[in-house]
Amino acid sequence: QVQLVESGGGLVQPGGSLRLSCAASGSIFSINAMGWYRQAPGKQRELVADINSGGSTNYADSVKGRFTISRDNAKNTVYLQMNSLKPEDTAVYYCNADLPDRTGWGTAAYWGQGTQVTVSS
């Protein structure tokens, strides 16, 4: 089984920065894609950014140019550097990892517990 532990959330002023980290542990031989999602109160969880095993990335339009996702495969860790934060970035941020499933034909998804990011003056 796999566990994901997030850290780095908190309260920042508009225009400020935060760096989120998510470390995966457990029975891991490889990880395919890793990503960050967020969910604001009363809203659906949405993709913020993801990164595949080769380092290719994609971002939600709302965060392009402000957020950067990266990963350290040796540490099974994914990061989200968030700059120029806006109040609308306020949400619970969740880490996601897709791993090969035990059949070898698909993937299994794992989620972290979430970390609160609040952007306010």
Side-chain angles (χ1 to χ4, degrees), residues 10 14 16 30 34 36-37 40 43 48 51 53 73 77 80 87 93-95 99 113 116 119:
S30 64
M34 303 187 79
W36 290 94
Y37 292 70
K43 294 186 177 181
V48 177
I51 182 169
S53 60
N73 291 330
T77 300
L80 186 67
Y93 284 70
Y94 296 91
C95 176
L99 281 72
Q113 80 287 352
Q116 178 71 46
V119 185

Side-chain angles (χ1 to χ4, degrees), residues 31-34 51-55 69-73 77-79:
I31 301 176
N32 297 330
M34 303 187 79
I51 182 169
N52 69 14
S53 60
I69 189 170
S70 61
R71 65 191 286 174
D72 185 334
N73 291 330
T77 300
V78 63
Y79 306 93

